[in-house]
Amino acid sequence: LEKRLSSSFEIVSKQLEAVQKGLGEMQTLAGDVGGLKRALTNVKTAGGMGEVQLEAILSDFLSAEQYEKNAHPNPSNPKMVVEFAVKIPSKITERDYIYLPLDSKYPVAIWDKLTLAYETGDKAEIELQKRALASEIRSMAKDIKEKYIEVPYTTDFGILFVPYESLYAELNRIPGFVQQLQNDFKVTISGPTTLTALLNSLQMGFRTLAIQKETSKVWELLGAVKTEFGKFGTVLAKTKEKLQSATNEIEKAETRSRAIERKLTRVDALPQSNVEKTLIDTRSDAE
C-alpha cells in the first residue's frame, strides 16, 4: 500500500509540475499577445499598416511610373509630402502630369472603442464614439485639403484611404457625412474595394490616352506617306513623259530604218569576191 501511495503521489507531483510549466508558458504567451495588441493599437504602427496596404493596392493596379511615394504636391513647398500620389497626364503645368493625392488614415483608438461598444450593445457609448469618429475623420480630411491639394499642381480633390471595409461602411452609414466631406474639403473617402475600382478606371483611362497618342503618331505617319506618295506620283509622271519621248524617238528611227531599207533594195548586191576586194581597197586607202 505504501509503495502504491508513493507511486501515485509521484505521478500526481509530475502532473502538477507539468501543469505549472504549462501555466508559465501561457503567461508568457499572454504577455506576447499583450505586446502584439499594444503594437497593433499603437497609432503610428496602425497608420503604417494602412500605408503598406495602400502601396500594395497601387502596385497591383498601376505601374511604377504612374504613381509616386512621398510625393511633393507643391513644387514651391518641398516640406509638404503626401504618402502617395497618382500621376494624371496633363498639359496645364510645366510637368506632363498632375498629382492625385492619396493619404492613408486610421483612427484606431476611436474605432476600437466603437467596435467594443457595438459588442456590448451600449447605445450611449455607440453614439458617443460615432460622433468622435466623424469629428476625427473630418479633421483628417481638412488636413488633406490644407496640405496636399494644390491646384494646378494637383487635382482639385484628394482621397482619404481607410484600410478596412468595416470602417468605410461605418462612415457611409453616418447620414450625409461622406457628401459633406466632398463639399467642404474636396476629399473622397475610399476603402480597399472602392480604391481598387477607382484605380481600375484610371488604368483604363491611361490605356485610352496611350492609344490616342499612338493613333496621332499613326495619323502623322500616314500624312507623311501621303506627301511622299504625291512626290512619287510627280516623279512617275515625269518618268512616263521621258519614256514616251524615248518611244517616239525609237519609232522615228524605225521609220527611217525602213525607208533606208527600201532604198537599199534597189542596189544590186556585189559578188563575194568583189566585196572582199572592195573592203581591202577601203583599208588601204584608210592607211
Side-chain angles (χ1 to χ4, degrees):
L1 179 60
E2 184 178 356
K3 288 181 180 179
R4 290 180 179 178
L5 288 173
S6 297
S7 178
S8 298
F9 278 120
E10 184 178 356
I11 293 172
V12 171
S13 177
K14 290 181 179 180
Q15 290 177 345
L16 288 174
E17 288 178 0
V19 171
Q20 185 177 3
K21 183 179 179 181
L23 287 174
E25 292 176 351
M26 289 181 65
Q27 289 176 352
T28 303
L29 180 61
D32 293 339
V33 171
L36 179 62
K37 182 179 180 181
R38 287 191 297 273
L40 292 177
T41 55
N42 181 271
V43 174
K44 185 175 181 180
T45 304
M49 292 174 62
E51 184 177 344
V52 170
Q53 186 178 5
L54 177 56
E55 183 173 10
I57 294 174
L58 288 171
S59 62
D60 285 343
F61 284 87
L62 302 177
S63 64
E65 295 79 16
Q66 292 175 330
Y67 72 94
E68 186 173 330
K69 185 177 182 180
N70 296 327
H72 301 276
N74 188 352
S76 62
N77 190 359
K79 293 183 179 180
M80 292 298 180
V81 180
V82 63
E83 289 180 357
F84 294 96
V86 177
K87 296 178 180 179
I88 307 295
S90 175
K91 295 182 180 180
I92 62 175
T93 64
E94 63 271 12
R95 298 178 296 192
D96 294 331
Y97 58 86
I98 59 175
Y99 285 128
L100 168 59
L102 293 94
D103 200 18
S104 174
K105 300 294 185 181
Y106 181 34
V108 58
I110 299 175
W111 178 240
D112 286 345
K113 291 179 181 178
L114 180 58
T115 303
L116 182 60
Y118 275 123
E119 292 176 355
T120 58
D122 189 341
K123 293 183 179 181
E125 183 67 14
I126 290 173
E127 293 301 322
L128 177 64
Q129 296 304 325
K130 285 177 70 173
R131 288 194 295 271
L133 178 64
S135 176
E136 183 69 12
I137 293 295
R138 183 178 178 84
S139 176
M140 292 175 174
K142 182 180 179 182
D143 189 59
I144 293 174
K145 165 68 176 176
E146 294 176 349
K147 290 183 179 180
Y148 309 135
I149 298 179
E150 294 287 345
V151 180
Y153 305 108
T154 69
T155 55
D156 60 349
F157 69 97
I159 296 178
L160 190 157
F161 174 76
V162 292
Y164 298 109
E165 294 293 347
S166 54
L167 176 55
Y168 174 73
E170 182 64 36
L171 294 172
N172 278 273
R173 278 199 293 266
I174 302 175
F177 179 67
V178 173
Q179 187 63 41
Q180 185 181 14
L181 293 182
Q182 293 176 352
N183 295 336
D184 294 347
F185 306 113
K186 304 296 183 181
V187 171
T188 299
I189 297 177
S190 177
T193 302
T194 51
L195 181 62
T196 297
L198 174 63
L199 293 179
N200 191 31
S201 300
L202 288 176
Q203 184 64 275
M204 293 299 295
F206 293 151
R207 291 176 182 174
T208 302
L209 183 62
I211 291 173
Q212 289 176 349
K213 288 183 177 179
E214 293 301 323
T215 302
S216 63
K217 291 180 181 179
V218 172
W219 186 257
E220 291 176 0
L221 178 60
L222 289 175
V225 171
K226 182 179 179 181
T227 302
E228 292 300 323
F229 192 77
K231 294 179 180 179
F232 175 74
T234 302
V235 173
L236 191 62
K238 291 181 179 179
T239 304
K240 182 181 178 181
E241 291 178 0
K242 292 181 179 179
L243 289 174
Q244 187 65 43
S245 177
T247 302
N248 294 336
E249 293 297 327
I250 291 173
E251 289 178 353
K252 292 179 180 179
E254 288 179 346
T255 302
R256 293 178 65 83
S257 175
R258 286 193 295 270
I260 293 171
E261 287 178 355
R262 285 194 299 270
K263 291 181 179 180
L264 289 175
T265 55
R266 301 174 184 175
V267 180
D268 293 334
L270 293 175
Q272 185 65 29
S273 58
N274 293 337
V275 172
E276 292 178 355
K277 182 180 180 181
T278 302
L279 291 176
I280 293 171
D281 293 341
T282 303
R283 290 197 200 97
S284 299
D285 293 340
E287 291 175 357

